[in-house]
């Protein structure tokens, strides 16, 4: 750590010297020739990525492809557009719907993608789509090695817009978005609940006195004149979760420039009104609303004819409001509380007393109901106060670029300083409430008391990041010879002001050569270090080589260039290292104060002391990634058709995992983690696009298809009696469980079958296969079950057309080799004394032995037979989704005449519009399969964009 700290101070000194030198040299040149001006300085990496002679794996989309689509998190739009990129959104209902995402699948136990915005690590999801110029996804070692250790699993580069010389241009866009839940569980009403609960109790052999009597069933059946407080039938989800809500987005940007200065300024506001139906009883809001503000300023100054200073300022502020009972907890209560448990509230008639005879007072004539078992979701939404989460972010980036052509033609130098800060705080104004249970027409049993609203601040966090970059780049053409070179130094520090700072350093370079635009080779290397490792072990060198052959530029190819205008073969091989998954202090160990850990004396009294909760591993080092990529690119028929295909392999070694072979008998009181894990991933990415026009009618159709399959080859596991119990040899993550063989239909079948050890087995229970043939069904019979909840196949179809001022764009996204294990309330009726749903009615009975669900039971927790993970609950979650659609019309410019208006576009767009799937579940295939999370949303929007 001292080694890194000293370097930090040294590098600041060099930064000062370097900046001073550039300004002085530039000033001298400016005095000699003030009439010449350089063009935008060369950004070698971005230029190479978009050029035909790039030999790595990268894919770029324009910001215009996503600008008017109705989402609040932009990551959700890349799946289906970018080959090799896959995302999964497990829950919705809030504006910050952050998905999980991968590049070329899950290739390590330490997943994580590096996202760089204008070259600096930033949060991508909260960006405004109107400030994005392009998004590039880097996938192989040749493309990512220069971005350091955090880019081993892939890198996303986001370029924001810049200004250009000219008069100020103003664009205002407004977007009104209607959000609707895609799929909701459908609980039964009180009659259906009670009838099925009686069946379940009878199946469980329970006392009939616990069942709902015919009198109760009659009250639930015919509601005419029935007292709803005594015989409630509350449709919690219908009553208190909205069928739709509104999200509003406003954005304005200004761009332009003078001879020496160019600017782009953008501001945006996003608001959401919340998904809950609250009563608005108080002056404060208890819904899960949100308000977010974004602002960006990108300015470029030509300090001299050869020196440019870029200054980027960016920030956002977000305020989220939620009920005191928490949004997700309140939603879960709405879904799981039985309709006949209690009413939402009792109407205060002035005659109610509690069990002590005290008169009950109310708020707005509403007395909170409850039963001590289930949570009253209405009370959580209305009487539990509220919490406001405040988050703010600000960043500064300054880049000084110097054209050194006076020294050597094609030579550029740059220095970048970036700083950002992120802070959060939750203002909690939560209060407790009393709830009451019906005893008779005048008496309610009181539990708890109404509390005063607390006022506290929690969740306080402050994060800072500082980055310095120094680059020296060279690009020159010598006849048929093109030479490119880059040398760089990068320093990164991350701190949350509580733990020690995270510090990384890297120095590396790239040498590229291309002959006659036919043969190219790139040699790349990065020497980087991480604070997580012991001194002497912190730095390591990772090299990469890439090569390409542009066949279409060969003389023998000229005869068919009118058909195949471009054809190139390329490949790369390289080594990368990742520190992800390694914790601080692992190289030195740690002692932690622990209560009641040592026992002494005849009475063996407990005493406090210290235990080693991290076992020192001084040899801990990088997880290694050996990556191979081979691809072909082609353009046909005057570039109307563009295709690409790539095959990749990623061999991971040294993954940092628990060594389970070290027993606690050795005296270890903590897991022993070592670089012993290994995983192998292979797959391919395909992409094709056809663009053409017939007169004024233009159209395009494209597609992407990706496959990524991993296999664990080493994990430090203890030996198991059967190979299928090991993780080695199988993909990860993968669902594991028992093989279901239908239901037991009689006690004779149960007696003749292997013994199932989870609970007493009756007809109608799930029958499991005896895998090892020992006559007993237990953990030794659990096997890998098909695929995991991370798809191996992901693809997209993109199409659209335009005619004069009218246009349509659409994108389909699909997945394959994608499974979900149903559990919790989705799989099991009455789970944890909860609800039963419409999809859970086809249960086994002696007359319905071909049912889709086992025998109905009220017992759905612990070691019960039917809730074991098994092939019975495994579902194919593969799907094809109409992910986005945009329909637009540009008003004829003749309508504006000589007014200040330049252009007006009206548009409508949609997100998550239609889904085709064989997923046997009432939930969306992407959503969590246990029903605990808020549903995904379908967004439909209408908007207007005006340019001045």
């Amino acid at each position: 750590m001292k080694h890194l700290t000293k370097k930090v101070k040294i590098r600041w000194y060099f930064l000062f010297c370097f900046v001073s030198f550039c300004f002085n040299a530039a000033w001298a040149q400016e005095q000699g020739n003030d009439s010449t001006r350089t063009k935008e300085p060369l950004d070698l990496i971005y230029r190479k990525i978009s050029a035909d002679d790039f030999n790595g794996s990268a894919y770029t989309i324009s910001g215009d492809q996503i600008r008017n689509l109705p989402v609040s998190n932009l990551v959700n739009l890349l799946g289906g557009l970018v080959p090799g990129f896959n995302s999964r959104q497990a829950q919705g209902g809030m504006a910050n719907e952050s998905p999980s995402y991968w590049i070329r699948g899950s290739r390590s136990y330490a997943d994580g993608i590096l996202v760089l915005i204008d070259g600096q690590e930033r949060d991508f999801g909260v960006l405004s789509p109107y400030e994005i110029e392009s998004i590039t996804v880097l996938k192989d070692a040749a493309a990512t090695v220069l971005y350091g250790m955090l880019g081993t699993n892939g890198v996303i580069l986001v370029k924001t817009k810049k200004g250009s010389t000219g008069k100020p241009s103003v664009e205002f866009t407004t977007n009104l978005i209607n959000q609707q839940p895609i799929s909701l569980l459908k609980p039964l009403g009180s009659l259906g609940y009670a009838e099925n609960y009686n069946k379940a109790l009878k199946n469980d052999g329970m006392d009939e006195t616990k069942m709902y009597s015919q009198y109760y069933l009659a009250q639930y059946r015919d509601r005419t004149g029935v007292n709803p407080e005594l015989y409630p039938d509350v449709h919690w989800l219908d009553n208190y979760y909205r069928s739709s809500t509104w999200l509003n987005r406003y954005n304005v940007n200004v761009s332009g420039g003078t001879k020496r200065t160019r600017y782009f300024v953008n501001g945006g506001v996003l608001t959401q009104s919340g998904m809950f139906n609250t009563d608005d009883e108080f002056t404060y809001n208890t819904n899960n609303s949100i308000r977010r503000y974004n602002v960006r300023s990108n300015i470029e100054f030509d300090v001299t004819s050869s020196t440019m200073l870029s200054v980027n300022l960016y920030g956002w502020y977000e305020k989220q409001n939620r009920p005191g009972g928490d949004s997700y907890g309140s939603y879960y209560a709405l879904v799981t509380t039985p309709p006949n448990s209690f009413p939402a509230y009792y109407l205060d008639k002035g005659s109610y007393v509690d069990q002590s005879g005290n008169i009950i007072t109310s708020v707005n004539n509403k007395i909170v109901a409850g039963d001590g078992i289930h949570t009253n979701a209405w009370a959580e939404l209305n009487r539990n106060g509220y919490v406001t989460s405040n988050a703010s972010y600000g960043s500064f980036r300054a880049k000084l670029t110097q054209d050194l052509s006076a020294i050597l033609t094609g030579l550029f130098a740059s220095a970048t300083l970036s700083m950002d800060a992120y802070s959060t705080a939750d203002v909690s104004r939560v209060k407790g409430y009393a709830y009451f249970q019906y005893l008779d027409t005048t008496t309610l049993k009181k539990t708890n008391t109404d509390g005063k609203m607390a006022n506290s601040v929690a969740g306080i966090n402050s994060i800072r990041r500082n980055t310095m970059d120094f680059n020296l780049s060279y690009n020159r053409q010598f006849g048929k010879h093109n030479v490119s070179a880059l040398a760089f130094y990068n320093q990164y520090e991350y701190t949350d002001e509580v733990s020690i700072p995270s510090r990384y350093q890297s120095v590396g370079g790239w040498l590229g050569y291309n002959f006659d635009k036919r043969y190219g080779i790139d040699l790349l290397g990065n020497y980087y270090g991480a604070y997580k490792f012991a001194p002497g072990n912190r730095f390591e060198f990772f090299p990469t080589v890439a090569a390409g052959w542009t066949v279409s530029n060969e003389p023998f190819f000229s005869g068919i260039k009118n058909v195949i205008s471009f054809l190139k073969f390329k490949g790369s091989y390289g080594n990368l290292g990742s520190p992800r998954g390694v914790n601080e202090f692992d190289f030195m160990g740690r002692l932690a104060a622990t209560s009641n850990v040592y026992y002494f004396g005849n009475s063996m009294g407990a005493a406090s002391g210290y235990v080693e909760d991290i076992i020192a591993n001084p040899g801990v080092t990088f997880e290694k990634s050996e990556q191979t990529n081979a691809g072909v690119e082609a353009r046909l028929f005057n570039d109307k058709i563009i295709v690409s295909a790539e095959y990749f392999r990623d061999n991971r070694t040294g993954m940092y995992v628990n060594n389970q072979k070290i027993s606690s008998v050795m005296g270890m009181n903590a897991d022993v983690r070592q670089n012993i894990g290994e995983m192998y991933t292979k797959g391919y990415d395909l992409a094709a696009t056809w663009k053409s026009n017939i007169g004024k009618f233009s159209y395009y159709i494209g597609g992407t298809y990706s496959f990524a399959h991993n296999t664990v080859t080493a994990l430090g596991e203890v030996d198991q009696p059967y190979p299928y119990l090991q993780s080695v040899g199988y993909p990860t993550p993968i669902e594991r469980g028992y093989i279901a063989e239908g239901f037991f239909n009689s006690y004779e079948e149960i007696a003749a079958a292997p013994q199932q050890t989870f609970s007493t087995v009756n007809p109608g229970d799930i029958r499991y296969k005896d895998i090892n043939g020992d006559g007993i069904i237990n953990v030794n019979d659990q096997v890998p079950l098909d695929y995991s909840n991370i798809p191996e196949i992901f693809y997209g179809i993109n199409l659209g057309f335009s005619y004069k001022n009218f246009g349509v764009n659409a994108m389909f996204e699909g997945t394959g080799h994608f499974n979900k294990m149903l559990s919790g309330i989705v799989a099991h009726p009455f789970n944890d004394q909860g609800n039963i749903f419409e999809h859970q009615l086809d249960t086994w009975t002696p007359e319905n032995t071909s049912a889709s669900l086992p025998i109905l039971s009220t017992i759905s927790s612990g070691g019960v037979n039917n809730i074991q993970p098994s092939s019975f609950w495994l579902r194919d979650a593969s799907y094809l989704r109409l992910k986005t659609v945009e329909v637009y019309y540009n008003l004829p410019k003749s309508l504006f005449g000589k007014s200040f208006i330049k252009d007006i576009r009206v548009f409508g767009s949609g997100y998550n519009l239609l889904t085709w799937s064989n997923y046997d579940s009432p939930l969306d295939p992407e959503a969590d399969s246990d029903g605990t999370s808020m549903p995904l949303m379908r967004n439909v929007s209408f908007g207007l964009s005006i340019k001045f």
Side-chain angles (χ1 to χ4, degrees):
M1 184 56 60
K2 291 180 179 179
H3 176 64
L4 289 175
T5 304
K6 290 180 179 178
K7 286 195 172 186
V8 171
K9 298 177 180 179
I10 294 172
R11 301 307 172 185
W12 276 105
Y13 172 77
F14 280 127
L15 173 64
F16 175 79
C17 294
F18 182 84
V19 173
S20 299
F21 165 78
C22 290
F23 267 112
N24 292 331
W27 180 85
Q29 184 174 350
E30 175 78 354
Q31 302 309 305
N33 186 0
D34 190 35
S35 62
T36 61
R37 304 192 58 78
T38 183
K39 296 182 179 180
E40 181 179 348
L42 175 68
D43 192 331
L44 187 61
I45 295 179
Y46 272 108
R47 189 194 72 80
K48 294 291 287 185
I49 287 173
S50 60
D52 288 341
D53 59 352
F54 180 65
N55 297 315
S57 178
Y59 197 89
T60 299
I61 65 170
S62 167
D64 290 339
Q65 294 177 253
I66 62 174
R67 56 180 276 118
N68 289 325
L69 298 176
V71 298
S72 57
N73 192 302
L74 298 182
V75 177
N76 291 319
L77 295 176
L78 297 186
L81 284 177
V82 178
F85 183 91
N86 178 41
S87 65
R88 185 171 72 85
Q89 182 184 345
Q91 55 189 355
M94 298 292 284
N96 55 344
E97 299 167 341
S98 300
S100 302
Y101 55 96
W102 306 265
I103 296 175
R104 290 182 164 175
S106 178
R107 295 179 274 158
S108 169
Y109 280 102
D111 284 325
I113 306 299
L114 177 63
V115 178
L116 300 176
I117 299 175
D118 292 330
Q120 309 302 317
E121 186 174 5
R122 300 286 186 264
D123 184 4
F124 171 41
V126 298
L127 284 179
S128 166
Y130 301 100
E131 59 188 308
I132 294 177
E133 180 70 28
S134 66
I135 301 172
T136 300
V137 177
L138 308 181
K139 298 182 281 187
D140 73 333
T144 63
V145 65
L146 298 181
Y147 293 95
M149 64 200 81
L150 298 181
T152 304
N153 299 323
V155 179
I156 297 176
L157 304 179
V158 181
K159 286 187 70 173
T160 60
K161 292 183 177 181
K162 300 178 181 179
S164 58
T165 302
K167 294 181 179 180
S169 175
V170 180
E171 180 183 29
F172 172 76
T173 304
T174 179
N175 205 346
L176 179 62
I177 304 170
N178 183 256
Q179 296 186 293
Q180 308 160 14
I182 292 179
S183 54
L184 287 169
L185 293 171
K186 297 179 180 179
L188 299 185
S190 291
L191 178 62
Y193 175 88
E195 289 178 335
N196 283 279
Y197 196 82
N198 282 350
K199 293 178 184 177
L201 285 175
K202 186 175 180 180
N203 293 335
D204 295 335
M206 297 293 185
D207 186 351
E208 292 188 4
T209 59
K210 295 183 179 181
M211 298 183 184
Y212 291 95
S213 67
Q214 290 300 318
Y215 177 79
Y216 267 82
L217 297 179
Q219 306 305 306
Y220 297 145
R221 184 177 293 110
D222 183 5
R223 302 297 293 173
T224 304
V226 173
N227 183 349
E229 296 183 351
L230 185 57
Y231 306 102
D233 186 11
V234 183
H235 298 268
W236 295 99
L237 205 55
D238 292 341
N239 292 348
Y240 303 112
Y241 196 73
R242 294 177 177 175
S243 58
S244 68
T245 191
W246 293 97
L247 190 150
N248 301 283
R249 184 164 64 195
Y250 308 94
N251 197 87
V252 61
N253 59 62
V254 183
S255 64
T258 63
K259 188 176 180 181
R260 289 183 175 272
T261 304
R262 295 161 299 280
Y263 57 88
F264 173 82
V265 180
N266 187 83
V269 179
L270 182 145
T271 63
Q272 186 198 43
S273 55
M275 280 303 300
F276 295 113
N277 275 326
T278 55
D279 286 359
D280 298 327
E281 294 183 303
F282 306 102
T283 56
Y284 51 82
N285 178 24
T286 62
N287 213 328
N288 61 332
S289 58
I290 188 170
R291 186 175 293 270
R292 181 194 298 161
Y293 304 90
N294 291 69
V295 63
R296 173 178 296 279
S297 171
N298 292 347
I299 304 177
E300 294 178 338
F301 305 94
D302 289 333
V303 181
T304 73
S305 60
S306 62
T307 307
M308 188 181 78
L309 176 64
S310 302
V311 178
N312 296 354
L313 299 175
Y314 173 65
W316 54 265
Y317 170 74
E318 182 176 276
K319 181 177 181 180
Q320 289 196 45
N321 198 84
R322 64 178 185 268
D326 184 75
S327 296
Y328 299 107
S330 298
Y331 173 79
Y332 189 66
L334 290 175
V335 174
T336 57
T337 303
N340 61 348
S341 294
F342 42 77
Y345 48 81
Y346 302 108
L347 290 176
D348 188 1
K349 304 170 186 177
S351 58
Y352 282 126
V353 296
D354 63 20
Q355 64 271 35
S356 300
N358 300 315
I359 296 176
I360 299 174
T361 58
S362 64
V363 177
N364 296 328
N365 293 323
K366 297 175 182 178
I367 302 172
V368 177
D371 62 2
I373 300 174
H374 306 97
T375 300
N376 185 327
W378 174 85
E380 291 291 289
L381 293 173
N382 293 282
R383 296 294 177 84
N384 203 21
Y386 68 102
V387 176
T388 301
S389 295
N390 300 277
S392 59
Y393 173 84
S395 70
F396 165 81
R397 175 181 179 266
K399 181 178 181 179
L400 185 68
T401 305
Q402 177 66 45
D403 184 349
L404 300 175
S405 297
I407 302 173
L408 180 65
T409 302
L411 185 65
F412 280 81
S414 67
T416 304
L417 172 64
S418 172
M419 298 180 290
D420 63 354
Y422 171 72
S423 62
T424 62
D426 291 347
V427 179
S428 179
R429 293 187 169 94
V430 178
K431 61 179 181 179
Y433 57 87
Y435 63 87
F436 298 83
Q437 188 171 4
Y438 196 96
L439 295 180
D440 56 46
T441 56
T442 60
T443 307
L444 302 177
K445 179 183 177 182
K446 180 181 180 180
T447 304
N448 294 338
T449 58
D450 291 319
K452 293 183 179 180
M453 181 173 285
N455 189 6
S456 62
V457 179
I460 300 175
N461 194 15
S462 180
I463 294 171
R464 293 200 314 267
R465 287 179 292 201
N466 301 314
T467 306
M468 288 191 296
D469 289 282
F470 300 93
N471 291 277
L472 190 65
S473 64
Y474 176 75
N475 185 261
R476 185 81 180 274
Q477 186 79 33
F478 302 94
K480 295 183 178 180
H481 307 274
N482 181 268
V483 178
S484 300
L486 174 71
F488 68 89
Y489 169 80
N490 171 268
Q491 177 176 294
Y492 171 86
E493 179 181 278
Y494 170 98
T495 178
D496 61 6
E497 299 185 354
V498 177
S499 57
I500 62 173
S502 305
R503 289 172 176 165
Y504 304 100
Q505 289 177 319
S506 65
V507 58
W510 164 33
L511 177 62
Y513 170 74
N514 186 279
F515 173 73
D516 197 23
K517 297 183 180 180
R518 287 186 283 168
Y519 315 111
I521 187 169
D522 298 293
L523 303 176
L524 308 98
N526 203 335
Y527 180 71
Y528 44 72
Y531 75 108
K532 293 182 178 181
F533 308 133
N537 235 13
R538 287 177 172 165
F539 287 84
E540 196 163 340
F541 179 69
F542 296 94
T544 295
V545 61
W549 176 30
T550 306
V551 184
S552 55
N553 288 339
E554 295 286 357
F556 64 78
F557 206 84
S558 59
I560 60 172
K561 288 200 79 170
N562 60 331
V563 178
I564 305 177
S565 55
F566 180 80
L567 177 63
K568 177 182 178 180
F569 297 97
K570 63 181 181 179
S572 68
Y573 173 81
N575 292 280
L576 304 173
S578 172
R580 297 184 187 272
V582 179
N583 299 321
E584 296 89 350
F585 306 114
D586 276 13
F587 71 90
M588 65 177 66
R590 183 176 65 187
L591 293 176
T594 307
S595 302
N596 302 328
V597 66
Y598 297 114
Y599 297 88
F600 298 96
N602 294 331
S603 61
M604 295 299 290
S608 301
Y610 287 85
V611 298
E612 193 172 8
D613 68 333
I614 296 179
I615 307 300
N617 180 5
V620 59
T621 185
F622 293 96
E623 173 185 312
K624 306 298 194 310
S625 174
E626 180 187 22
Q627 298 186 16
T628 304
N629 191 81
V632 59
E633 300 174 358
R635 298 196 291 266
L636 295 80
F637 307 113
N638 295 320
D639 296 351
K640 290 182 179 180
I641 299 177
I642 303 174
V643 297
S644 65
E646 293 182 349
Y647 171 80
F648 67 88
R649 295 186 301 178
D650 186 347
N651 187 34
R652 296 293 174 106
T653 58
M655 292 191 302
Y656 202 57
V657 296
N658 291 336
N659 189 344
Q660 300 175 22
K661 294 183 178 180
I662 299 180
S663 170
S664 59
V665 176
M666 301 292 294
M668 305 296 188
N669 197 41
D671 293 331
V672 178
R673 304 184 70 209
Q674 295 177 311
N675 295 102
I676 56 176
E678 298 180 5
M679 184 186 299
Y680 177 78
T681 304
K682 62 180 179 179
Y684 52 85
D685 301 330
L686 308 174
T689 303
W690 177 19
K691 296 182 179 180
S692 188
N693 66 281
I694 304 172
K696 295 182 179 180
F697 180 83
S698 300
Y699 63 92
Y700 72 91
I701 182 170
T704 64
Y705 187 93
S706 302
F707 171 78
H709 176 81
N710 68 47
T711 303
V712 177
T713 54
L715 200 60
E717 298 175 290
V718 296
D719 295 333
Q720 297 289 344
Y722 305 100
Y724 55 81
L725 297 177
Q726 306 280 162
S727 296
V728 172
Y730 298 98
T732 184
I734 191 171
E735 299 290 357
R736 289 178 171 270
Y738 301 95
I739 300 296
E741 297 184 311
F743 303 119
F744 288 113
N745 292 315
S746 67
Y747 285 105
E748 288 75 16
E749 289 185 12
I750 296 172
Q755 179 187 358
Q756 302 197 178
T757 59
F758 312 111
S759 61
T760 301
V761 180
N762 296 297
D765 286 338
I766 301 173
R767 178 175 182 164
Y768 301 118
K769 185 176 181 179
D770 185 7
I771 299 297
N772 61 359
D774 64 356
I776 299 175
I777 307 298
N778 55 23
V779 292
N780 289 331
D781 296 296
Q782 284 197 4
V783 298
L785 298 173
D786 215 354
Y787 306 109
S788 74
N789 61 1
I790 299 178
E792 287 189 343
I793 295 173
F794 27 100
Y795 57 93
I797 303 171
N798 312 287
L799 50 89
F801 69 87
S802 63
Y803 178 72
K804 294 184 178 179
N805 295 335
F806 176 77
V808 177
N809 300 303
M811 191 268 282
F812 294 82
E813 178 194 53
T815 64
H817 293 188
F818 180 29
N819 282 347
K820 292 286 193 67
M821 181 75 73
L822 302 186
S823 61
I825 62 174
V826 177
H828 314 297
F830 309 117
N831 184 74
D832 290 336
Q833 302 183 27
N835 248 324
I836 181 172
F837 303 92
E838 288 184 6
H839 72 279
Q840 296 173 332
L841 298 181
D842 184 25
T843 58
W844 185 95
T845 66
E847 298 76 32
N848 184 26
T849 57
S850 60
S852 60
L853 295 173
I855 189 170
L856 201 58
S857 174
T858 62
I859 305 172
S860 59
S861 60
V864 178
N865 184 84
N866 294 339
I867 72 167
Q868 301 303 311
S870 74
S871 60
F872 185 90
W873 301 113
L874 196 67
R875 299 290 187 270
D876 179 4
S878 303
Y879 65 86
L880 173 64
R881 193 196 302 280
L882 178 54
K883 192 70 173 282
T884 62
V885 171
E886 180 187 10
V887 180
Y888 64 88
Y889 179 72
N890 295 320
L891 273 64
K893 296 184 183 297
S894 59
L895 295 177
F896 313 136
K898 296 182 180 181
S899 70
F900 60 91
I901 298 177
K902 298 179 181 179
D903 186 45
I904 296 180
R905 169 179 284 197
V906 292
F907 60 88
S909 57
Y911 171 72
N912 284 347
L913 294 177
L914 295 171
T915 303
W916 297 269
S917 176
N918 291 324
Y919 187 44
D920 184 16
S921 169
L923 301 180
D924 186 85
E926 282 192 84
D928 288 331
S929 57
D930 60 359
T932 58
S933 56
M934 297 172 70
L936 275 67
M937 309 297 283
R938 176 184 296 109
N939 297 349
V940 178
S941 77
F942 300 94
L944 174 69
S945 179
I946 306 176
K947 291 183 179 179
F948 305 100

